[in-house]
């Protein structure tokens, strides 16, 4: 394909309730939407999962826009004609920027698959038509509020609960939810909030039969995670540390992780995600699909990935209503704890343009 034009648009979507993690509280989701139009006039869509501030990863919305405009689009234009499969190689000289790169690659892939009339799910090798849904529960104001929020999700049918934790909001919160729901699949996510000396403290979580502890330590501290894995019995799962196939290989070789959360934006796209999936399948490492408060555009693509056979744990692939009163696509609805994987060509969904325009804060078209 050849690029005819690229539209970069920032939207601001309010969240149904504040989402607090160890790195901050979000009340709305700022999203960079990327639309790529190819030489046939076919439009492909993707969203960039970077947040408005560099709190979860070094990338943030305006840095992504700068990278995309200043370096990535010119590199693609210089390449002339290419396929989605070539995008990562074309952009490789520019270091980092996985989220920005993933958004371009995915929009290009969406257009390519639409032209070829192939769904992203079948293109990636999906074997499931629906995927099991988990939900991520933010840090609450108090234990009563936590129990109340978890009850809403359990009643809605979510099949796995993930509690956000940080020092001061961990053992008691987990004990409370485990006491109320002795059987429910439960896991925790620290977003790097602990340090190497917290091993004994975190080992107290072993009594609650958790599926995993996600990213307890700094993203660069692979050795620390390997040491921690010797102190706690609960499986360690890396998220922020896994930014590529190489980092997944290293973390596995060093026994720093026994479960991996794959987020396509964090690793530079869906091709890299499938490579990590395949590595994990070959090593009998369970994987699950993470979430970054995606709109229906990003959610659709994540569902396609989560339908691959190695995704044996429920992901953060919640219904649209978990985060948004109104989504920018037809909302993803959960039925009996599952969401149906889109099967139309490309990512399988289109934005509602009227609604998209109404929540757009900036927009520019690059020819
Ligand atoms: O369901 O989309 C979702 C959110 C799941 O907890 C979730 N995401 O650390 O994994 C995370 C966290 C996150 C959200 C990270 C937003 C970065 C931005």
């Amino acid at each position: 394909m050849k690029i005819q034009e690229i539209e970069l648009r920032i939207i601001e979507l309010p969240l149904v309730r504040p989402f607090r993690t160890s790195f901050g509280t979000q009340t709305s989701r700022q999203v960079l939407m990327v639309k790529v139009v190819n030489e046939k006039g076919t439009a492909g869509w993707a969203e960039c999962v970077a947040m408005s501030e560099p709190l979860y990863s070094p990338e943030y919305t305006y840095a992504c826009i700068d990278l995309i405009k200043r370096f990535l689009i010119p590199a693609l234009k210089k390449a002339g004609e290419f396929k989605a499969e070539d995008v990562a190689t074309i952009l490789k000289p520019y270091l980092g920027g996985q989220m920005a790169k993933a958004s371009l690659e995915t929009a290009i892939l969406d257009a390519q698959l639409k032209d070829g009339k192939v769904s992203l799910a079948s293109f990636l090798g999906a074997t499931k038509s629906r995927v099991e849904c988990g939900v991520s529960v933010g840090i609450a104001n108090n234990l009563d509020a936590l129990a109340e929020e978890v009850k809403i999700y359990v009643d809605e049918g979510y099949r796995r609960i993930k509690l956000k934790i940080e020092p001061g909001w961990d053992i008691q919160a987990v004990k409370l939810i485990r006491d109320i729901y002795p059987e429910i699949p439960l896991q925790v996510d620290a977003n790097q909030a602990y340090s190497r000396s917290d091993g004994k403290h975190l080992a107290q979580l072993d009594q609650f039969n958790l599926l995993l502890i996600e990213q307890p330590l700094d993203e660069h501290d692979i050795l620390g995670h390997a040491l921690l894995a010797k102190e706690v019995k609960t499986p360690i799962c890396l998220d922020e540390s896994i930014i590529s196939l190489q980092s997944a290989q290293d973390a596995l070789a060093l026994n720093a992780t026994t479960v991996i959360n794959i987020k396509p934006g964090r690793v530079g796209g869906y091709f890299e995600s499938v490579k990590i999936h395949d590595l994990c399948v070959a090593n009998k490492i369970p994987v699950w699909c993470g979430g970054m408060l995606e709109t229906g555009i990003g959610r659709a693509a994540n569902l396609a990935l989560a339908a691959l056979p190695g995704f044996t744990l429920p992901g953060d692939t919640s219904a649209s209503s978990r985060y948004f009163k109104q989504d920018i696509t037809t909302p993803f609805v959960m039925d009996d704890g599952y969401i149906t994987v889109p099967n139309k060509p490309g990512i399988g969904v289109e934005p509602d343009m009227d609604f998209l325009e109404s929540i757009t804060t900036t927009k520019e078209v690059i020819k």
Side-chain angles (χ1 to χ4, degrees):
M1 70 166 270
K2 270 186 178 162
I3 292 175
Q4 192 184 105
E5 65 175 48
I6 295 183
E7 180 190 275
L8 301 176
R9 171 197 297 263
I10 298 180
I11 59 169
E12 197 76 46
L13 256 184
L15 299 180
V16 287
R17 60 178 72 87
F19 185 58
R20 182 173 153 207
T21 61
S22 61
F23 59 81
T25 304
Q26 284 175 272
T27 53
S28 81
R29 182 67 165 116
Q30 180 187 72
V31 193
L32 168 62
M33 302 301 304
V34 178
K35 177 181 150 194
V36 172
V37 181
N38 67 17
E39 79 284 7
K40 294 183 181 137
T42 309
W45 284 89
E47 73 183 82
C48 176
V49 294
M51 298 170 63
S52 56
E53 297 171 278
L55 298 174
Y56 165 84
S57 86
E59 294 187 85
Y60 59 96
T61 312
Y62 280 91
C64 290
I65 292 180
D66 191 71
L67 181 68
I68 289 173
K69 281 171 55 181
R70 196 182 296 273
F71 301 108
L72 306 186
I73 293 179
L76 291 172
K77 291 230 158 129
K78 191 161 166 246
E81 197 155 350
F82 56 83
K83 292 179 74 176
E85 286 83 340
D86 308 322
V87 170
T89 309
I90 297 168
L91 304 182
K92 198 165 188 271
Y94 301 103
L95 304 179
Q98 284 89 340
M99 295 175 181
K101 290 174 177 176
S103 66
L104 274 179
E105 184 188 86
T106 307
I108 289 166
L109 181 59
D110 182 36
Q112 180 174 309
L113 295 177
K114 278 175 181 160
D115 283 342
K117 300 193 172 38
V118 178
S119 72
L120 179 63
S122 63
F123 176 76
L124 296 178
T127 52
K128 296 174 260 184
S129 59
R130 53 178 205 160
V131 300
E132 262 190 308
C133 301
V135 63
S136 175
V137 185
I139 294 165
N141 288 335
N142 54 61
L143 292 172
D144 287 345
L146 177 72
E148 221 171 278
E149 190 178 341
V150 170
K151 182 175 186 320
I152 295 173
Y153 301 134
V154 173
D155 290 349
E156 283 176 358
Y158 282 101
R159 290 174 169 263
R160 178 277 271 154
I161 302 291
K162 156 168 141 179
L163 301 179
K164 291 288 189 180
I165 58 167
E166 66 181 5
W169 182 266
D170 45 26
I171 315 298
Q172 266 189 304
V174 175
K175 178 174 182 344
L176 172 77
I177 300 305
R178 183 45 97 208
D179 285 348
I180 304 175
Y181 306 102
E183 305 290 338
I184 200 151
L186 188 62
Q187 64 193 53
V188 293
D189 183 4
N191 288 114
Q192 317 182 51
Y194 294 88
S195 52
R196 284 191 185 184
S197 56
D198 287 322
K200 277 207 172 59
H201 177 73
L202 290 172
Q204 294 176 71
L205 292 171
D206 288 342
Q207 60 190 301
F208 303 119
N209 186 26
L210 300 180
L211 290 168
L212 55 92
I213 304 178
E214 189 179 352
Q215 197 69 45
L217 309 180
D218 186 90
E219 62 172 297
H220 302 290
D221 196 6
I222 302 299
L223 175 60
H225 284 101
L227 295 171
L228 190 66
K230 293 187 179 154
E231 280 190 272
V232 301
K233 292 198 180 67
T234 307
I236 306 279
C237 168
L238 291 181
D239 171 7
E240 286 93 319
S241 300
I242 306 298
I243 53 164
S244 60
L245 174 66
Q246 178 73 64
S247 58
Q249 284 166 333
D250 293 354
L252 291 179
L254 293 167
N255 295 319
T257 193
T258 46
V259 184
I260 287 184
N261 162 341
I262 302 183
K263 286 179 182 163
R266 202 193 58 226
V267 303
Y270 288 86
F271 292 105
E272 193 78 0
S273 298
V274 172
K275 287 183 198 161
I276 296 172
H277 163 270
D278 294 349
L279 169 79
C280 291
V281 170
N283 287 279
K284 299 194 168 53
I285 294 291
V287 295
W288 55 282
C289 184
M292 293 192 57
L293 315 180
E294 283 91 349
T295 73
I297 292 289
R299 204 163 288 277
N302 283 350
L303 288 163
L305 180 71
L308 267 66
F311 285 80
T312 52
L313 293 172
D316 284 341
T317 44
S318 313
S320 300
S321 61
R322 157 69 183 91
Y323 292 106
F324 312 116
K325 193 159 158 248
Q326 183 174 353
D327 205 336
I328 62 169
T329 60
T330 305
F332 282 99
V333 178
M334 186 173 64
D335 180 17
D336 189 31
Y338 289 86
I339 294 187
T340 301
V341 178
N343 60 7
K344 295 207 183 95
I347 61 170
V349 295
E350 293 288 333
D352 167 344
M353 288 313 295
D354 289 339
F355 182 53
L356 198 66
E357 288 295 345
S358 74
I359 54 168
T360 296
T361 56
T362 69
K363 180 170 93 175
E364 66 183 300
V365 175
I366 299 135
K367 295 254 181 211

